[in-house]
Amino acid sequence: MTPQDRALIMVYESVKHRLPFGFETFAEALKDYDIVPLTESGRVIGGVLAKGNEVHIGYGVKPKGSIRPHLKMTLGVMLDKYGYVVTAVMADNKSGLRFCERLGFVKLGEENGTIKLRCDRSNYS
């Protein structure tokens, strides 16, 4: 199993309780995304999924330390390339929304129970 495969599993683990389908459908839906494994002490604990300027992150194992270095590196590269990044959070995921807002994402709107967010250099923390 590659680190990218493991990262995809970790991201799935972080959201599976919110999904009405299994891992195979999840993996198929994300087949065009770049998967960046997030590691701690040499072990994959999560991943960043990126497609163009769209980004999603998930951890199957809660990191012992801050995850900000992982995100700063990945988001910084994407912000340099695209000028802004977008993501989406399920409306009932209040902790996910707060997390994105702490990173500098601002709410664009809500549709079908999903909140769309955007972050650019002016509010990236």
Side-chain angles (χ1 to χ4, degrees), residues 32-69:
D32 295 331
Y33 283 71
D34 292 324
I35 302 168
V36 179
L38 300 174
T39 61
E40 185 174 74
S41 301
R43 185 176 123 210
V44 176
I45 61 169
V48 175
L49 309 176
K51 181 178 181 183
N53 70 334
E54 180 182 349
V55 64
H56 303 280
I57 186 167
Y59 286 87
V61 176
K62 186 176 173 118
K64 293 177 185 164
S66 174
I67 61 174
R68 283 178 98 58

Side-chain angles (χ1 to χ4, degrees), residues 20 38 42 49 62 68 71 73 76-77 85 100 113 125:
L38 300 174
L49 309 176
K62 186 176 173 118
R68 283 178 98 58
L71 296 176
M73 177 184 65
V77 169
V85 294
C100 288
S125 55

